[in-house]
Amino acid sequence: MARIANKAAIDAAWKQVSACPEKTLKQLFEEDSNRLSSLVVDTAKLRFDFSKNHLDNQKLTAFKTLLESCDFDARRKALFAGEKINITEDRAVEHMAERGQGAPATVARAKEYHARMKTLIEAIDAGVFGEVKHLLHIGIGGSALGPKLLIDALTRESGRYDVAVVSNVDGQALEEVFKKFNPHKTLVAVASKTFTTAETMLNAESAMTWMKKHGVEDPQGRMIALTANPAKASEMGIDDTRILPFAESIGGRYSLWSSIGFPAALALGWDGFQQLLDGGAAMDRHFIEAAPEKNAPVLAAFADQYYSAVRGAQTHGIFAYDERLQLLPFYLQQLEMESNGKRVDLDGNLITHPSAFITWGGVGTDAQHAVFQLLHQGTRLVPIEFIAAIKADDTLDPVHHQTLLTNAFAQGAALMSGRDNKDPARSYPGDRPSTTILMDELRPAQLGALIAFYEHRTFTNGVLLGINSFDQFGVELGKEMAHAIADHPENADFDPSTKALIAAALK
Ligand code: F6P
């Protein structure tokens, strides 16, 4: 039986979405004096202002019809109930259990794994591994991007340990850390869901070699495994107490809440990590409970689909006006593009609307002086997200933070209002959409809620597109070909261009 049952209703709803009259943002504000209160959502210590998007009551009604046709309620329920919604891999999707949401047995297992993490952190703090100053975290993709973001965003001033996250197989990345860290005071966390990823295994081996070379007595004894494949870690000789497992049903790009978040838990301390989880849980509750027109992830997905499917936008830009969130666009690239960068629906048919946006971004105010020219005057439509914290955490003159916020707000206003000039080169068309996400301060709870918001928005986009957001077969072909080249560079059956490259560089 087809998994997408209501095809005719879905097509009709999309038609309804496309048929909504186009109005400018200026018109929308003029026509509805309540616009701000209807399109601002305050939840989980975050404020989402969607009012500078072209959503109005008519579009919301059309999108709600689409949501219903796509069985959103049932699919959201199935997600939280731990049903096997990742159909191509026959798996449930249970990262929310790490935040206390979901089937009781799954939540209990997550708590047990967290308890193991906590015990190991306490052992490290108590000096079981001698004096430890540094943690070298090795992983890639979802096993690196989350930890990297958390460490950079939350532990700049107050990190209890010095953490470096290395993902790239390029030796430059590891070598840079080797220069900084004392091998005798370093622990190595090898993070890999599968514990087979080639780059991670090679980097782990080189870290062990580095320790040996510097006379560390038992390098293997200083290795910690963060994995959903504990058997593989055991095979590599890692003692059970140093294996921090997590469930197979947690996708790599959703895993920072699990043992993969170990470096953040170590550097922040357990209370800080718990606040991150609690922030995520607050967003989970909002996503489950709020009506679509007041539901931040759902409204964001409506805007995504509108700009993508109706207005033809190809990308969206994420600009945090906060230096500590400079890695957020990289994290979100994997979350959104690996989840929804697909071309077939749940029944294996080609999808009829464009899939995920290309996600990109930067930090304000830097980006203003680099890429905002195109955003204000280029020919492409790029919906923008501004993210900022009201409270400053630097100790400089408050004018710094005021200037930062002033700029964030000014950019959103300028994109929307535009300005005419008799010289076309100096004219700004305006009517360009943006969403502003404000938090009182950047702390673990707020960041947890923000990340969970993006997860649920990604899920909702997947539902509206009728796709499975939780597999990633697109990455496999390239991996296979890399193996083929590595194994037999001389006779790999490749195109002439690739053969010539191999001959030139890999002899
Ligand atoms: O190649 C893509 C991918 O499978 C991601 O989905 C994943 O986050 C990353 O590789 C790392 O995988 P692992 O955690 O198994 O090493």
Side-chain angles (χ1 to χ4, degrees):
M1 206 186 79
R3 290 192 171 90
I4 300 178
N6 318 330
K7 200 98 191 54
I10 293 171
D11 290 346
W14 271 114
K15 280 202 185 101
Q16 202 187 327
V17 165
S18 310
C20 290
E22 293 300 348
K23 292 179 184 168
T24 63
L25 292 168
K26 196 163 168 261
Q27 280 170 331
L28 292 170
F29 270 101
E30 278 164 6
E31 280 175 15
D32 181 3
S33 54
N34 271 334
R35 182 165 179 79
L36 210 54
S37 59
S38 21
L39 285 167
V40 171
V41 176
D42 276 299
T43 186
K45 300 188 178 178
L46 302 176
R47 176 194 163 109
F48 296 85
D49 182 347
F50 295 106
S51 65
K52 294 195 189 81
N53 288 277
H54 295 79
L55 295 174
D56 59 6
N57 287 337
Q58 209 173 338
K59 288 200 185 84
L60 287 180
T61 305
F63 269 115
K64 282 197 283 183
T65 308
L66 178 64
L67 205 63
E68 274 163 35
S69 318
C70 294
D71 281 335
F72 174 72
D73 280 345
R75 290 190 62 188
R76 181 177 50 185
K77 227 175 248 153
L79 166 76
F80 281 93
E83 286 176 32
K84 291 187 173 176
I85 62 165
N86 177 357
I87 48 158
T88 51
E89 296 179 309
D90 196 30
R91 277 186 199 149
V93 173
E94 294 180 317
H95 52 276
M96 295 86 56
E98 306 290 314
R99 321 192 279 245
Q101 310 292 323
T106 319
V107 172
R109 181 182 55 188
K111 285 213 168 101
E112 187 195 316
Y113 289 159
H114 278 159
R116 287 178 65 120
M117 258 167 103
K118 211 171 152 207
T119 304
L120 185 59
I121 290 170
E122 281 162 5
I124 296 168
D125 288 349
V128 169
F129 295 87
E131 192 194 352
V132 175
K133 283 182 84 172
H134 320 289
L135 179 77
L136 167 55
H137 176 100
I138 294 174
I140 198 162
S143 294
L145 288 160
K148 225 175 181 169
L149 168 67
L150 298 181
I151 294 292
D152 197 39
L154 301 173
T155 70
R156 284 183 177 217
E157 294 303 318
S158 53
R160 301 179 332 129
Y161 293 86
D162 199 4
V163 179
V165 178
V166 170
S167 48
N168 201 340
V169 74
D170 183 344
Q172 304 266 358
L174 260 189
E175 212 157 52
E176 205 176 296
V177 179
F178 293 165
K179 282 182 204 149
K180 282 194 310 203
F181 281 8
N182 176 345
H184 296 272
K185 296 180 180 172
T186 299
L187 292 177
V188 177
V190 181
S192 174
K193 180 175 174 182
T194 54
F195 230 70
T196 56
T197 300
E199 296 98 311
T200 299
M201 294 304 127
L202 180 56
N203 276 337
E205 213 178 292
S206 298
M208 292 297 102
T209 308
W210 166 68
M211 285 186 157
K212 254 181 239 151
K213 201 175 108 193
H214 287 85
V216 174
E217 236 172 62
D218 176 20
Q220 200 71 14
R222 302 182 74 75
M223 194 195 262
I224 296 162
L226 320 175
T227 185
N229 189 357
K232 195 91 196 157
S234 282
E235 260 172 46
M236 279 178 59
I238 304 176
D239 183 70
D240 190 53
T241 55
R242 287 178 285 110
I243 299 179
L244 299 178
F246 63 97
E248 183 73 36
S249 53
I250 296 174
R253 54 193 174 275
Y254 299 89
S255 64
L256 64 76
W257 319 95
S258 72
S259 336
I260 293 292
F262 170 75
L266 181 74
L268 278 171
W270 192 262
D271 285 353
F273 192 68
Q274 186 61 53
Q275 285 159 24
L276 178 92
L277 301 175
D278 293 345
M283 184 55 71
D284 290 333
R285 287 191 295 274
H286 167 76
F287 180 59
I288 295 169
E289 290 162 11
E293 64 277 10
K294 277 288 169 196
N295 194 312
V298 172
L299 283 172
F302 285 171
D304 289 343
Q305 291 307 315
Y306 167 69
Y307 290 117
S308 166
V310 181
R311 299 280 293 267
Q314 302 272 345
T315 79
H316 74 150
I318 315 281
F319 294 93
Y321 275 62
D322 195 311
E323 189 73 12
R324 297 164 296 178
L325 292 177
Q326 63 180 348
L327 299 179
L328 185 65
F330 298 107
Y331 176 79
L332 295 178
Q333 278 176 341
Q334 188 199 17
L335 177 64
E336 299 183 342
M337 294 166 75
E338 199 167 77
S339 296
N340 287 340
K342 313 274 167 73
R343 60 199 278 281
V344 296
D345 68 16
L346 293 166
D347 292 319
N349 298 316
L350 289 178
I351 56 174
T352 45
H353 293 94
S355 64
F357 276 139
I358 293 163
T359 302
W360 64 288
V363 282
T365 58
D366 297 19
Q368 289 174 202
H369 301 273
V371 296
F372 273 48
Q373 163 65 40
L374 179 148
L375 302 180
H376 286 286
Q377 288 188 316
T379 53
R380 294 177 196 278
L381 172 69
V382 186
I384 297 301
E385 231 130 273
F386 295 105
I387 304 168
I390 296 170
K391 182 175 169 284
D393 280 315
D394 63 83
T395 55
L396 301 192
D397 189 317
V399 72
H400 280 273
H401 202 67
Q402 280 153 16
T403 308
L404 187 69
L405 295 185
T406 305
N407 273 277
F409 304 154
Q411 291 299 324
L415 284 166
M416 179 170 97
S417 68
R419 183 186 288 164
D420 280 337
N421 189 298
K422 58 181 182 309
D423 176 0
R426 291 181 165 79
S427 210
Y428 301 82
D431 198 37
R432 301 196 166 195
S434 65
T435 299
T436 303
I437 305 174
L438 271 185
M439 54 190 99
D440 49 352
E441 54 183 351
L442 177 58
R443 293 290 179 273
Q446 286 80 343
L447 185 57
L450 184 70
I451 294 169
F453 157 77
Y454 279 104
E455 287 179 353
H456 292 316
R457 170 189 186 162
T458 300
F459 171 77
T460 308
N461 273 314
V463 171
L464 293 173
L465 290 165
I467 61 180
N468 174 10
S469 302
F470 301 103
D471 60 12
Q472 59 283 319
F473 295 112
V475 299
E476 296 306 326
L477 179 61
K479 285 185 196 173
E480 272 173 38
M481 288 199 173
H483 281 303
I485 296 176
D487 293 347
H488 297 289
E490 66 298 340
N491 63 6
D493 183 17
F494 287 110
D495 59 89
S497 158
T498 308
K499 270 189 181 158
L501 291 169
I502 295 169
L506 289 176
K507 271 175 271 172

